[in-house]
Amino acid sequence: MATRRSTLYLWELAWILPSIALPVGMLAALAVTAFGAGINVTGDAGRVDSTKVAEHPLFKEPGVVETAPGQYEVRLVAQIWAFAPNEIRVPAGSTVHFWATSRDVIHGLLVPRHNINVMLLPGQISHAQARFETPGEYPIICHEYCGIAHHTMAGKIIVEAKR
Ligand SMILES: [Cu+2]
């Protein structure tokens, strides 16, 4: 009888331990991605009335601005189905700060192989920054489905070799 009771206890343990380990593991993964890998939800970089994006000082003239040597600011507006600007040129070794928002629906801003992966929410300003070391052409991709021509929504970053 004693053996049987301990067998039941072991079965219980076999269920209880994973059910504790799973959420603990997920919490650990969340902590590692948030604090270790720097993956976050859209930060609180500010808000903007999505019907008045063109009047906001940051987004009046979407484009690229050099703020200091090697430091660039991209003021980017997403709308169906384009990014403005859709071509960004910076020299190699630049740090690029993206300030971005959406004029209409939820869009995404993804630059592969760089630490840029944010949602662009109407009414919300998103900020992300990355360093572009290697000359080349990098795509800017909308990775949030935003309508019928979503797949055409893209731009590019051209990193020019230093002269
Ligand atoms: Cu899209």
Side-chain angles (χ1 to χ4, degrees):
M1 232 19 188
T3 339
R4 188 170 188 159
R5 213 179 271 158
S6 68
T7 309
L8 281 175
Y9 178 67
L10 281 177
W11 274 112
E12 254 175 31
L13 209 61
W15 281 102
I16 289 168
L17 285 182
S19 70
I20 293 169
L22 264 172
V24 167
M26 286 176 183
L27 260 176
L30 194 68
V32 167
T33 51
F35 302 110
I39 299 171
N40 298 296
V41 293
T42 302
D44 189 19
R47 298 189 57 83
V48 54
D49 183 343
S50 61
T51 61
K52 293 180 183 142
V53 169
E55 294 163 32
H56 193 279
L58 257 181
F59 304 112
K60 236 186 255 172
E61 288 170 51
V64 189
V65 179
E66 187 175 7
T67 52
Q71 300 284 323
Y72 290 84
E73 208 171 271
V74 173
R75 295 153 184 188
L76 186 133
V77 176
Q79 65 183 77
I80 46 170
W81 288 281
F83 291 108
N86 71 352
E87 192 181 298
I88 293 160
R89 272 176 196 274
V90 290
S94 303
T95 300
V96 182
H97 294 259
F98 290 82
W99 295 93
T101 192
S102 163
R103 293 174 67 136
D104 37 45
V105 297
I106 295 175
H107 294 283
L109 174 63
L110 175 77
V111 181
R113 294 194 287 135
H114 293 82
N115 192 22
I116 306 274
N117 180 345
V118 290
M119 280 173 95
L120 306 179
L121 309 170
Q124 176 82 40
I125 300 171
S126 300
H127 173 253
Q129 73 177 71
R131 216 175 140 74
F132 291 85
E133 295 285 2
T134 317
E137 223 179 270
Y138 303 95
I140 302 171
I141 298 164
C142 174
H143 62 312
E144 293 288 339
Y145 182 74
C146 57
I148 195 84
H150 160 68
H151 60 286
T152 65
M153 187 168 170
K156 60 185 166 188
I157 298 170
I158 298 165
V159 180
E160 296 170 326
K162 273 189 192 151
R163 275 162 259 145

